[in-house]
Amino acid sequence: HRRPPRRAAPSAHGAPGSGPAAAMTLMDMMLHRVVSPVAKMYQRLMVARLSKFGLKYEDLLVENADVQRALERFGDRAARDRRLKRAIDLSAKRKYLPTEVQATVDPLDFYLAPHVEKAKKEREERELLDAYKWN
């Protein structure tokens, strides 16, 4: 007859380095060591690619209801549309912006994120209020 494998009992004092929490922390650290360099490389590639066309990262957001509301109320839709039209034109011509213009573009300038978050919170609040309407 076979015995089940023995498991180490977690420390009664919850000392660091023991129990399942320590294993997850170790796994997180190992994953971070693998993912972090890949994420940084991807970010550099995205910044270079967006700069070639004069785009910002948030110009590529899918226009759901929250993004549309943020653009209407807070964002500079005209500037975003100009950047998108310029990028489409450059792509169709198979050209890039001049390097001196590329240097002035900051693709990681998150101009819309706080406004999208605000629009999302407003929508969630409206949905919550609609769910509990007074009779």
Side-chain angles (χ1 to χ4, degrees), residues 31-58:
L31 185 63
H32 180 72
R33 284 187 177 172
V34 171
V35 171
S36 184
V38 173
K40 287 179 182 177
M41 181 181 66
Y42 176 74
Q43 184 180 25
R44 282 193 304 271
L45 290 171
M46 283 298 296
V47 165
R49 184 82 172 159
L50 291 171
S51 293
K52 288 179 180 181
F53 293 102
L55 291 171
K56 295 184 178 192
Y57 181 79
E58 289 183 338

Side-chain angles (χ1 to χ4, degrees), residues 63-79:
E63 284 196 31
N64 61 24
D66 297 334
V67 173
Q68 286 178 352
R69 180 167 294 253
L71 283 169
E72 290 167 5
R73 293 174 63 192
F74 312 109
D76 189 1
R77 184 180 280 276

Side-chain angles (χ1 to χ4, degrees), residues 18 40 51 63 72 74 82-83 94 97 128 130:
S18 64
K40 287 179 182 177
S51 293
E63 284 196 31
E72 290 167 5
F74 312 109
R82 278 193 308 273
R83 287 191 299 270
R94 298 183 187 268
L97 284 176
L128 187 62
D130 287 344

